[in-house]
Each structure stands twice: as C-alpha cells, then as structure tokens.
Amino acid sequence: MGYSIAIQKAWDEYAKCKPEPVASVKFLADEYSVDLAEKKITSLACNVAAKDASAILILHYLTVKLKGPPEFKGEWVNFRELSGVEGYYPAFRERVIKPIIKKYGSSPEAILEVLDRLPAKKVDQGDIGIVVE
C-alpha cells in the first residue's frame, strides 16, 4: 500500500506550522531526526529512514505539538471520539486493534512482556492495560 499522498499531506501540514529546520522526536523506543528541507525522517539509533507509517505518525505528532494540543482532561477516550479521525477508524482497527487481538487475544496478560522493551507502564484499565509513551 502506498503512503505517498498521506506523507506529502503530513509534510505540508507540518511545514505550515513553521517548525525549526531540523527537529528531534522520541517515538517508541527510538529517537528520530526530522529534516524539513530534505523531507527526511531518520532514526538516530541506526541511521535509517523511518518507515512510511511511522513517518506519518511522527509528522502528525509534531504538527499537533506545534499547533497546540487540545486541552488535557485526564480522561481516556475511544479512538473514534478524537477529532479529525473519522475516516481513519477502519485502518486503525485493521492495523492496530486486530493485530493486538490476534497476538494477545487468547493470553492478554502476555502483553505485559512489552514493558521491558518499550517506554510503557501497566495501568488498571480493562482486562489488562498498558500505556505506551
């Protein structure tokens, strides 16, 4: 599946925020350099380009950070309750929810094994819950 349109749109939205020419952002267990002029996102740990899906998420994150995130209320919300994601839910379900169910559905407590590898912590939410920074 091609991400070229989504990546271009993400770069355009990010550029509208007039960011610094080069930014650094932590994403999961890595740190990335974001170069606006080159339109390039590179892992600082292994000096390789970010995968397209990760690059889109990083750019969206930085754009929201620069625009100013919505007011934090300290409440959990369903993905569908977030503004601007209406058309993304089917993809979110296919790429996020279904793989987690497939891997951990019969053994939900096994998801706690990721706590050693990611900046994550266990929370008392649902049957089993973790928060990944």
Side-chain angles (χ1 to χ4, degrees), residues 1-2 17 21 36 38 51 54-55 66 70 74 90 98 101 112 118 127:
M1 170 180 267
C17 297
L36 180 60
E38 297 289 325
K51 292 183 179 180
S54 296
L66 290 170
K98 282 188 174 182
I101 291 170
L112 298 176
L118 296 174
D127 294 333

Side-chain angles (χ1 to χ4, degrees), residues 78-80 87-99:
N78 184 299
F79 181 85
R80 291 185 221 186
Y88 293 103
Y89 184 75
F92 178 77
R93 178 156 177 74
E94 287 298 315
R95 295 184 183 145
V96 178
I97 296 172
K98 282 188 174 182

